[in-house]
């Protein structure tokens, strides 16, 4: 063989090893990566080395698709969606990428041949917990669906060094441990040290005249830091499309002259560097956060500024002049956390790129779209004008000017209606002057949406009533969805196989509407038997794992009744706890003749400073201790609090649930997405008419959903007429007995004060009307137990739930956004 030929064939071989999908190629690349990247061979490799080698082997296969996608998007000038989000709750990458590449089975076989424990390798991965709950996880599902639906997209966010805390339970209390996801390195990200932008803070602004004598503004900051890009490829399922997740890390500025500030002050200079890096250090651990923390505002400005500068750079590099920026990009604001982008884009276009106000404003309004995720007043972000002035003086000027022009428009439209002007202003003037970020987002966006039908209606009729009167065409609904790849195929492979078998194809994975084919088999006793077996196997797996992590032994034959989500009063985990106490009392009193055994399973983190939420966790664990150790009842009921609910542990939970608790007070849960994950895995829902529950119930059929409780309208009425929880407490002796049992000290080793803050709050205030819905909930739970007795009927309902979940795929949500809001068409990538 000639020399040239030999080298050609080795390069083909190498290409094959690094990107080939065959078992042989995977094995070879795995061993190569173990050796050349981890510096280990099989015999001395730690489990973590093996995981890293598997991750790099998978990443090698993503890169080819990534580069292809980037090239295609560049040459085609593809219109691109930028998803701006302070949170991306991604979950482990490895299994998901293997599924999306279509090589999970081949990899399992390759692992077997190399004598590897495949499950143990998957288990090694620490998930990037860069989010709190639903909002962050939604962003991650959307990234998966954007790629799968072949929409060119970039996700922009923050590369927090510490994501959401790890939760441990000690003596029944939540204890927070710091998350260390980066400790052992992150094989999925590629640092881009050259993609770096300065971010300005503080100082003052000044006017000057440009070369043409035009007056312009200049911002003279007192502090500059750099944002550096870290890229993670996001592959779609069964397609060549790879989108980019670009997260920013804060570093001390290279361009800013520290020495000028710290002459001879070496310590001071290093301190400034550390200070700069705190910006991307830690995720704020509050779901639906209370506004007000200075560092949080710094974080918001940080990632928004980097992202917009990056978009402008990309635009100038590919398309050219900035005049058609809004044709190249649509930018989705994931809640108000990135709403500063409205002012920042104005600043960049005017101050850095010399555009006029009018042109900049037109472009800004055509670029942004805004999703609202909550109506809870305490979660609506406002920033004090004083703080703003100190940190972002130029943005404050711009916001004032946006507001001045906007309020002029209102005064013209609604003559003499100063009350309306006050309500709609971007600045709240009652008390300390504050900037209303939601108003900034609405005014600066071309489209605003809620995340479920009911929520979007409430957005229009309550929160943004005045804005809806002004711009009715701006308001939309896009009901949330979740990705069937992670939440069915990855987490529940047995169920996925059964569905594929039953449908005769696996196209449902990319087109979830096609699971409807199951409907016609719902009566088949053969399918029912297999369905039951799949559920039982998942329950066995969970039982074994829970025994291992908590010591609590469940009975896989019992009904698995699960509530897993952030702990919050509005989600009413305490209502669930009251039902458990009711069951306990009835068993103790021998009132139940033939009880249906239940395992009550909870999971969820409480914000570290949220006292009542933490007390609810303690209460659940306290009840668990008594119930699980009482031989009189523990054959019929067990209670377990699964620690550290996150994407990874959630994936163990969803497949094993029989009953999904979605019991928030109507009108409070914007959508919920756990409700969808449970239902897709064959759990039946007990729920209120809240968030997406309404639509789930319509989709699966009213007869296959356990509904109880007040409607959002009832709630409003009750609030107006004056809600008196005290009356419920005294009017329902069982309810009273349940609450009194908590206060008796039975669950707290005789301490009658421990849970008082919770019970007193329920009896006297009960802001989320637990007591008003108690009776309806208890009765509904009795219907659930009755239904569970008839296993054949239950399994049929379970099959129908899955069969009718097509609508709740995040692919559907993304297609709606792409068509109705962004105006972006798919760009398929051929390999
Ligand atoms: N906490 C809502 O409460 C919703 C998600 C995603 C939330 C959930 O009902 O499913 O958003 N809201 O849309 C939120 O984060 C800032 O508001 C959530 O996750």
């Amino acid at each position: 063989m000639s020399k040239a030929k030999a080298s050609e064939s080795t390069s083909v071989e190498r290409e094959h090893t690094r990107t080939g999908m065959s078992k042989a190629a995977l094995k070879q690349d795995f061993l190569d990566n173990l050796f050349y990247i981890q510096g280990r061979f099989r015999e001395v490799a730690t489990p973590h080395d093996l995981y890293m080698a598997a991750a790099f082997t998978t990443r090698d296969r993503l890169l080819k698709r990534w580069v292809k996608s980037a090239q295609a998007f560049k040459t085609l000038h593809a219109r691109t969606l930028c998803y701006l989000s302070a949170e991306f709750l991604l979950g482990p990458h490895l299994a998901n990428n293997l599924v999306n590449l279509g090589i999970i089975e081949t990899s399992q076989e390759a692992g077997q041949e190399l004598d590897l424990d495949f499950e143990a390798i998957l288990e090694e991965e620490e998930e990037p917990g860069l989010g709190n709950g639903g909002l962050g996880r939604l962003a991650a599902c959307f990234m998966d669906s954007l790629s799968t639906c072949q929409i060119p997209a970039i996700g922009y966010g923050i590369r927090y060094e510490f994501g959401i805390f790890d939760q441990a339970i000690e003596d029944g209390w939540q204890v927070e441990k710091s998350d260390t996801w980066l400790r052992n390195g992150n094989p999925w990200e590629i640092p881009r040290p050259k993609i770096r932008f300065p971010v300005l803070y503080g100082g003052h602004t000044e006017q000057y005249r440009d070369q043409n004598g035009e007056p312009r503004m200049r911002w003279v900051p007192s502090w500059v830091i750099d944002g550096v890009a870290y890229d993670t490829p996001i592959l779609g399922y069964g397609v060549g499309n790879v989108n980019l997740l670009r997260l920013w890390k804060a570093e001390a500025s290279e361009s800013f002259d520290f020495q000028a500030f710290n002459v001879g002050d070496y310590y001071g200079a290093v301190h400034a560097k550390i200070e700069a890096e705190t910006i991307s250090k830690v995720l704020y651990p509050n779901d639906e956060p209370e506004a007000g923390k200075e560092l949080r505002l710094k974080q918001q400005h940080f990632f928004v500024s980097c992202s917009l500068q990056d978009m402008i750079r990309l635009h100038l590099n590919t398309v050219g002049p900035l005049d058609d920026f809004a044709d190249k990009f649509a930018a989705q604001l994931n809640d108000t956390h990135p709403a500063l982008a409205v002012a920042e884009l104005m600043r960049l276009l005017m101050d850095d790129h010399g555009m006029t106000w009018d042109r900049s404003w037109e472009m800004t309004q055509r670029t942004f779209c805004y999703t609202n995720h909550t109506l809870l007043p305490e979660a609506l972000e406002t920033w004090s004008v004083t703080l703003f002035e100190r940190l972002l003086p130029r943005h404050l000027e711009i916001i004032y000017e946006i507001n001045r022009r906007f309020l002029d428009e209102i005064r013209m439209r609604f003559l003499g209606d100063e009350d309306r002007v006050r309500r709609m202003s971007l600045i709240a003037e009652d008390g300390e002057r504050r900037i209303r970020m939601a108003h900034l987002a609405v005014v600066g966006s071309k489209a605003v949406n809620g995340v479920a039908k009911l929520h979007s209606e409430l957005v229009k009729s309550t929160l943004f009533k005045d804005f809806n009167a002004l711009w009715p065409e701006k308001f939309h609904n896009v009901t949330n969805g979740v990705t069937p790849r992670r939440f069915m195929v990855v987490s529940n492979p047995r169920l996925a196989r059964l569905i594929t078998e039953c449908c005769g194809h696996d196209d449902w994975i990319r087109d979830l509407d096609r699971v409807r084919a199951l409907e016609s088999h719902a009566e088949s006793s053969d399918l029912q038997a297999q369905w039951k077996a799949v559920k039982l196997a998942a329950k066995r797996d969970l039982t074994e794992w829970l025994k291992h992590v908590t010591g609590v032994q469940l009975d896989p034959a019992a009904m698995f009744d699960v509530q897993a989500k952030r702990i919050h009063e509005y989600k009413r985990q305490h209502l669930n706890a009251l039902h458990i106490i009711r069951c306990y009392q009835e068993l103790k009193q021998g009132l139940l003749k033939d009880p249906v055994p239940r395992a009550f399973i909870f999971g969820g983190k409480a914000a570290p400073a949220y006292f009542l939420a933490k007390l609810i966790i303690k209460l659940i664990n306290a009840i668990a201790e008594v119930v699980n150790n009482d031989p009189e009842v523990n054959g019929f009921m067990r209670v377990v609090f699964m620690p550290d609910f996150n994407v990874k542990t959630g994936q163990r939970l969803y497949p094993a649930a029989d009953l999904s608790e979605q019991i928030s007070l109507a009108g409070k849960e914007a959508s919920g997405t756990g409700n969808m994950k449970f239902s897709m895995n064959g759990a039946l829902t007990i729920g209120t008419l809240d968030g997406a529950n309404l639509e789930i119930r319509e989709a699966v059929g009213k007869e296959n959903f356990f509904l109880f409780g007040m409607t959002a309208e009832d709630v409003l009425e009750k609030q107006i007429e004056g809600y008196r929880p005290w009356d419920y407490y005294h009017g329902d002796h069982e309810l009273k007995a349940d609450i009194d049992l908590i206060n008796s000290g039975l669950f707290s080793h005789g301490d009658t004060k421990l849970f008082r803050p919770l019970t007193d709050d329920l009896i006297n205030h009960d802001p989320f009307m637990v007591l008003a819905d108690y009776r309806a909930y208890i009765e509904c739970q009795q219907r659930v137990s009755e239904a569970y007795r008839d296993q054949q009927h239950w399994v049929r309902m379970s099959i129908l739930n899955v069969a009718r979940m097509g609508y709740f795929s995040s692919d559907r949500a993304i297609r709606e956004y792409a068509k109705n809001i962004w105006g972006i068409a798919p760009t398929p990538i051929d390999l």
Side-chain angles (χ1 to χ4, degrees):
M1 208 192 314
S2 75
K3 254 195 183 153
K5 266 237 159 93
S7 84
E8 203 176 279
S9 83
T10 30
S11 86
V12 169
E13 257 166 46
R14 176 169 316 120
E15 156 80 12
H16 173 73
T17 308
R18 294 230 106 164
T19 59
M21 301 296 212
S22 70
K23 206 171 16 174
L26 289 168
K27 277 161 66 176
Q28 187 57 50
D29 196 21
F30 174 84
L31 294 173
D32 278 1
N33 283 325
L34 187 61
F35 189 83
Y36 289 107
I37 296 191
Q38 292 304 106
R40 288 283 159 89
F41 50 93
R42 188 67 188 77
E43 285 67 27
V44 297
T46 65
H48 186 258
D49 291 325
L50 299 175
Y51 158 69
M52 290 296 265
F56 282 115
T57 304
T58 310
R59 195 182 87 173
D60 288 339
R61 277 135 191 93
L62 299 182
L63 290 179
K64 178 174 162 189
R65 291 161 175 76
W66 190 1
V67 170
K68 277 247 167 185
S69 303
Q71 278 168 344
F73 297 158
K74 190 169 175 180
T75 44
L76 296 171
H77 291 189
R79 180 162 162 79
T80 301
L81 181 273
C82 297
Y83 200 80
L84 269 59
S85 179
E87 303 188 3
F88 288 92
L89 187 45
L90 297 166
H93 292 283
L94 179 54
N96 194 68
N97 279 326
L98 290 174
V99 162
N100 282 8
L101 282 165
I103 54 171
I104 186 130
E105 272 147 24
T106 321
S107 306
Q108 269 158 340
E109 289 163 16
Q112 242 161 27
E113 289 182 12
L114 290 173
D115 201 18
L116 297 167
D117 181 345
F118 192 73
E119 289 303 315
I121 289 180
L122 295 182
E123 196 46 40
E124 248 328 280
E125 181 169 359
E126 271 206 56
E127 73 175 73
L130 310 184
N132 274 286
L135 170 138
R137 183 53 233 177
L138 185 75
C141 283
F142 281 3
M143 288 307 294
D144 179 88
S145 287
L146 282 161
S147 297
T148 301
C149 298
Q150 306 187 303
I151 306 290
I154 306 174
Y156 281 118
I158 301 176
R159 182 180 176 276
Y160 300 105
E161 189 177 329
F162 299 98
I164 186 69
F165 62 86
D166 293 341
Q167 178 195 54
I169 302 295
E170 291 175 12
D171 186 30
W173 294 98
Q174 165 174 300
V175 177
E176 300 91 28
K177 313 259 159 157
S178 66
D179 162 55
T180 50
W181 73 290
L182 287 174
R183 182 182 40 187
N184 297 319
N186 173 8
W188 304 103
E189 68 183 7
I190 298 186
R192 305 281 188 206
K194 293 290 171 202
I195 301 183
R196 170 186 290 270
F197 297 100
V199 180
L200 284 47
Y201 294 94
H204 63 275
T205 63
E206 50 192 38
Q207 215 181 34
Y208 71 102
R209 291 199 176 266
D210 65 12
Q211 309 105 306
N212 309 324
E214 294 292 326
R216 313 204 71 93
M217 292 304 290
R218 165 159 62 209
W219 178 10
V220 186
S222 55
W223 191 40
V224 179
I225 65 167
D226 281 356
V228 180
Y230 283 70
D231 291 349
T232 303
I234 307 286
L235 172 69
Y237 173 78
V239 293
N241 290 60
V242 171
N243 283 325
L244 176 60
L245 176 64
R246 178 160 283 173
L247 303 179
W248 302 102
K249 173 178 192 279
E251 284 187 3
S253 170
E254 283 182 347
S255 52
F256 199 59
D257 188 1
F258 277 112
Q259 277 173 2
F261 283 81
N262 305 290
V263 186
D265 181 6
Y266 175 72
Y267 188 84
V270 173
H271 184 73
K273 185 173 153 58
I274 293 169
E275 193 120 289
E277 287 172 1
T278 59
I279 300 247
S280 58
K281 213 28 115 192
V282 55
L283 166 78
Y284 274 95
N286 297 351
D287 194 41
E288 297 169 333
E290 270 178 65
K293 294 279 185 294
E294 178 168 337
L295 179 59
R296 193 168 160 91
L297 182 59
K298 287 183 186 160
Q299 288 184 334
Q300 295 183 349
H301 173 56
F302 167 71
F303 93 91
V304 157
S305 180
C306 291
S307 308
L308 289 173
Q309 291 184 68
D310 194 41
M311 287 160 67
I312 290 175
R313 174 189 66 94
L314 286 168
H315 188 79
L316 294 173
N317 282 350
T318 53
V319 188
L322 279 177
D323 290 284
D324 40 15
F325 184 79
D327 300 318
K328 166 73 183 166
F329 290 115
Q332 189 69 36
L333 305 174
N334 198 24
D335 214 83
T336 54
H337 319 149
L340 261 176
V342 171
E344 175 68 356
L345 183 59
M346 288 296 287
R347 182 187 76 82
L348 290 166
L349 293 178
M350 292 188 303
D351 298 2
D352 290 7
H353 296 276
M355 255 184 214
T356 62
W357 177 280
D358 289 333
R359 193 83 190 85
S360 307
W361 184 238
E362 191 222 310
M363 210 111 78
T364 299
Q365 272 192 316
R366 276 179 52 213
T367 300
F368 292 113
C369 316
Y370 155 58
T371 304
N372 172 277
H373 293 266
T374 183
L375 300 168
L376 295 188
E378 68 271 24
L380 294 173
E381 285 194 305
T382 62
W383 292 107
S384 105
V385 166
T386 327
L387 172 62
F388 226 89
E389 195 159 29
R390 182 156 57 75
L391 279 185
L392 303 167
R394 180 66 182 126
H395 296 75
L396 186 62
E397 286 174 2
I398 291 171
I399 290 171
Y400 278 159
E401 182 59 15
I402 295 172
N403 199 36
R404 190 187 64 77
R405 290 168 183 244
F406 169 61
L407 295 183
D408 279 352
E409 199 183 322
I410 303 301
R411 290 196 171 97
M412 296 262 280
R413 274 282 300 271
F414 304 92
L415 282 175
D417 193 348
E418 276 307 304
D419 197 43
R420 183 183 299 266
V421 170
R422 184 189 52 74
R423 291 196 309 263
M424 296 183 80
S425 173
L426 305 192
I427 317 289
E429 310 266 1
D430 36 343
E432 191 204 12
R433 299 176 73 231
R434 302 185 72 88
I435 302 173
R436 294 165 167 155
M437 300 308 278
H439 291 201
L440 177 63
V442 174
V443 173
S445 296
K446 67 169 176 213
V448 177
N449 74 285
V451 289
K453 254 190 210 158
L454 171 69
H455 170 66
S456 296
E457 283 310 313
L458 293 171
V459 160
K460 287 195 284 186
S461 62
T462 61
L463 184 61
F464 297 140
K465 187 166 184 226
D466 294 321
F467 291 91
N468 186 49
L470 182 65
W471 298 310
E473 66 295 338
K474 232 189 219 196
F475 289 84
H476 302 253
N477 171 56
V478 184
T479 299
N480 283 169
V482 302
T483 169
R485 269 75 62 185
R486 181 176 294 276
F487 292 106
M488 297 178 81
V489 183
V490 173
S491 61
N492 200 347
R494 293 187 193 94
L495 182 68
R497 264 196 303 276
L498 181 56
I499 295 174
T500 298
E501 234 170 71
C502 186
C503 296
H505 59 75
D506 66 4
D507 290 353
W508 61 273
I509 300 172
R510 86 183 73 240
D511 179 5
L512 195 62
D513 281 328
R514 301 195 62 184
V515 281
R516 197 171 284 274
L518 288 172
E519 243 181 50
S520 56
H521 304 265
E523 311 288 346
S524 142
S525 53
D526 192 34
L527 177 65
Q528 289 182 0
Q530 293 186 64
W531 197 266
K532 241 183 118 167
V534 162
K535 182 59 83 181
L536 186 63
K539 289 165 76 173
R540 287 214 172 98
D541 286 352
L542 181 69
T543 299
E544 191 184 321
W545 181 73
L546 280 174
K547 169 81 188 162
H548 172 69
V549 293
T550 66
V552 178
Q553 178 70 53
L554 303 182
D555 172 8
M559 182 205 304
F560 279 21
D561 174 344
V562 188
Q563 188 169 18
K565 50 182 76 240
R566 287 298 286 250
I567 312 294
H568 202 296
E569 289 162 275
Y570 85 76
K571 297 179 190 278
R572 303 199 294 191
Q573 280 91 356
H574 41 354
L575 178 57
N576 189 341
L578 288 176
H579 171 242
I580 298 174
I581 295 174
R582 181 89 316 261
C583 292
Y584 175 71
Q585 307 228 60
E586 295 192 347
L587 280 170
K588 291 296 275 184
Q589 292 157 13
L591 295 175
L592 298 177
K593 273 185 256 65
D594 179 21
V596 174
R598 283 205 202 204
F600 298 94
I601 303 170
F602 290 84
K605 295 175 185 177
Y610 188 169
F611 171 70
L612 278 184
K614 290 179 128 174
L615 195 57
I616 291 174
I617 294 179
K618 173 68 179 171
L619 174 64
I620 292 165
N621 282 307
I623 298 171
E625 196 190 327
V626 169
V627 166
N628 298 345
N629 292 306
D630 184 340
E632 233 182 325
V633 303
N634 67 14
F636 299 103
M637 63 188 294
R638 296 271 164 132
V639 182
V640 60
F641 191 96
M642 173 188 102
D644 207 31
F645 176 57
N646 56 24
V647 179
K648 199 168 159 184
T649 56
Q651 286 177 196
R652 296 177 177 277
L653 209 49
Y654 299 117
D658 292 307
L659 185 66
S660 153
E661 299 270 352
Q662 306 301 335
I663 59 177
S664 52
L665 177 64
K668 298 295 177 196
E669 189 71 89
S671 160
T673 43
N675 45 7
M676 302 167 189
K677 294 166 199 167
F678 279 111
S679 199
M680 274 180 192
N681 283 279
L684 305 189
T685 307
I686 178 165
T688 48
L689 281 180
D690 199 15
N693 293 357
L694 258 99
E695 290 156 81
I696 293 177
R697 177 167 171 266
E698 262 164 40
V700 304
K702 297 181 170 53
E703 63 290 359
N704 302 311
F705 185 106
F706 298 98
L707 176 72
F708 77 96
M710 294 179 289
T711 63
E713 276 175 12
D714 297 339
V715 170
L716 219 65
E717 256 172 51
K718 200 165 265 320
Q719 271 158 354
I720 291 168
E721 80 196 17
Y723 172 55
R724 295 169 14 151
W726 183 257
D727 294 349
Y728 289 89
Y729 174 70
H730 286 287
D732 185 328
H733 71 274
E734 288 185 346
L735 169 60
K736 183 167 183 304
D738 294 343
I739 293 181
D740 291 351
L741 196 65
I742 298 176
N743 288 334
S744 75
L746 176 79
F747 302 120
S748 40
H749 303 274
D751 183 344
T752 56
K753 296 261 155 56
L754 181 62
F755 296 115
R756 275 283 176 178
L758 192 60
T759 51
D760 284 351
D761 188 67
L762 282 180
I763 297 167
N764 299 311
H765 309 288
D766 193 14
F768 300 102
M769 301 190 172
V770 171
L771 304 201
D773 270 342
Y774 168 88
R775 185 45 53 196
Y777 180 58
I778 298 290
E779 283 170 10
C780 190
Q781 285 286 18
Q782 282 158 0
R783 294 203 300 277
V784 171
S785 290
E786 284 317 309
Y788 195 74
R789 262 184 231 287
D790 183 351
Q791 273 296 300
Q792 201 186 339
H793 182 56
W794 184 278
V795 172
R796 189 177 164 276
M797 289 197 285
S798 167
I799 296 172
L800 290 178
N801 259 262
V802 176
R804 296 170 179 175
M805 284 303 286
Y807 183 78
F808 301 96
S809 165
S810 44
D811 299 346
R812 185 271 314 152
I814 285 302
R815 288 197 188 98
E816 283 182 17
Y817 276 105
K819 181 158 173 273
N820 305 334
I821 293 186
W822 306 327
I824 301 187
T827 301
I829 302 299
D830 296 323
L831 279 176

